[in-house]
Amino acid sequence: MLKTDYVNVEMLKKFAPRPGARDLLPEISPKAQVALMCRILFAEGWDDHIAGHITVRQPDGTILTNPWELAWDEITADDIVTLDAEGNVLDSDWNITPAIGLHLQLHKARSDIHVVIHNHPKWSGIWACLQEVPPIYDQAGAYCGVDLPIYNEYLGTLDNNEACASLIEALGENAKWALLAQHGALVVGKDLRQAHLRAATLEWRCRRAYEVRLAGGAEPLPNKVVEEVSLPDPNGFPFLWEAMARRELRRDPKVLGS
């Protein structure tokens, strides 16, 4: 088989972005960052109508989330809801999804998780329905490593405390994402940059795997190559989240709110 370099991964892992070299984004409030994340992930395919929820824990312990009534591509900073740690709304007239309990329990169970994302994307949703782990066929699908658990005890919407606790236990202490059988996808992260890379990589990996299957199949990347190609998670993908945020700002500057 032809050996391929993909990228010089060792060089990338040693690469340290120069802080302050350029302003990649204007100053953006925490609520505007969450609104931008909704828009960015909508463009990545996390776009099942008004379904789905993102929570971002703040340094003071409060949690920012998107409202239930709005689709992710119309949300602005003014729409983002602030919750306390128990899920009580502090500053909005919007509703929040009953399934927010899963996010609240995840934030409590794992101190490393500050961002939780759930939706029913098209491509990862296909593999969730197949209850199969999609193989990795290319570099972009390998950015976040090999392991991808499937939670296959789906009993309905995740608005039941017992069901949420079961899922959190199944995820364990280190899982970065999961497919929810016959349901959708779940991604967690320490910050927006890391969570975005995981969400985008998961959907890309699932799409490519399904396309390859339809084309008749191929040999996936060996796990060893995937681990060599995967990016250092503490940094996410340098500059990627900011680039996607700028794209959304060009599309609709009103996302920053009033």
Side-chain angles (χ1 to χ4, degrees):
M1 190 169 80
L2 185 65
K3 179 174 171 51
T4 307
D5 256 346
Y6 299 102
V7 293
N8 189 333
V9 177
E10 289 307 313
M11 183 180 73
L12 180 58
K13 289 182 177 180
K14 294 176 182 177
F15 174 71
R18 292 175 294 157
R22 293 288 297 271
D23 290 328
L24 299 179
L25 285 171
E27 186 172 344
I28 296 176
S29 71
K31 286 193 172 187
Q33 292 177 36
V34 180
L36 278 166
M37 187 68 157
C38 290
R39 302 286 191 103
I40 291 167
L41 290 184
F42 181 91
E44 297 281 4
W46 294 66
D47 60 355
D48 182 9
H49 304 91
I50 63 167
H53 18 99
I54 298 174
T55 53
V56 182
R57 179 164 52 193
Q58 301 300 291
D60 64 359
T62 60
I63 293 171
L64 302 180
T65 191
N66 57 294
W68 195 6
E69 294 94 331
L70 302 179
W72 284 14
D73 65 333
E74 64 177 327
I75 289 172
T76 72
D78 296 335
D79 302 313
I80 299 300
V81 182
T82 307
L83 310 174
D84 65 19
E86 305 306 316
N88 298 304
V89 176
L90 300 180
D91 65 354
S92 179
D93 293 327
W94 290 119
N95 288 294
I96 57 170
T97 172
I100 202 74
L102 169 63
H103 293 233
L104 299 176
Q105 289 191 49
L106 273 167
H107 286 301
K108 289 178 181 179
R110 287 180 52 182
S111 60
D112 62 311
I113 291 177
H114 298 293
V115 181
V116 182
I117 305 165
H118 169 61
N119 208 317
H120 316 137
K122 175 180 179 178
W123 301 103
S124 49
I126 289 173
W127 290 94
C129 289
L130 290 170
Q131 298 184 46
E132 293 182 35
V133 176
I136 300 173
Y137 291 102
D138 65 358
Q139 176 182 312
Y143 284 151
C144 296
V146 177
D147 293 338
L148 174 58
I150 298 178
Y151 179 71
N152 60 4
E153 299 174 20
Y154 178 52
L155 300 174
T157 56
L158 289 169
D159 53 6
N160 176 279
N161 287 338
E162 188 174 330
C164 292
S166 174
L167 171 54
I168 293 168
E169 182 179 357
L171 284 173
E173 297 180 358
N174 300 311
K176 63 189 73 171
W177 52 19
L179 295 178
L180 310 180
Q182 298 175 311
H183 188 165
L186 179 76
V187 167
V188 299
K190 73 179 184 68
D191 55 25
L192 290 170
R193 180 185 286 107
Q194 186 185 70
H196 166 254
L197 177 64
R198 292 175 176 180
T201 300
L202 178 59
E203 194 65 357
W204 180 280
R205 170 179 172 177
C206 290
R207 176 181 175 178
R208 275 289 182 264
Y210 194 68
E211 290 170 337
V212 170
R213 173 173 287 191
L214 290 179
E219 183 179 349
L221 292 178
N223 288 353
K224 181 176 184 297
V225 174
V226 172
E227 295 303 337
E228 290 173 353
V229 171
S230 64
L231 297 173
D233 238 357
N235 296 322
F237 194 126
F239 315 131
L240 177 60
W241 190 86
E242 290 84 356
M244 299 301 98
R246 291 195 304 273
R247 176 181 290 172
E248 294 307 318
L249 287 172
R250 289 193 299 271
R251 288 176 176 168
D252 183 8
K254 295 192 296 297
V255 65
L256 296 180
S258 55

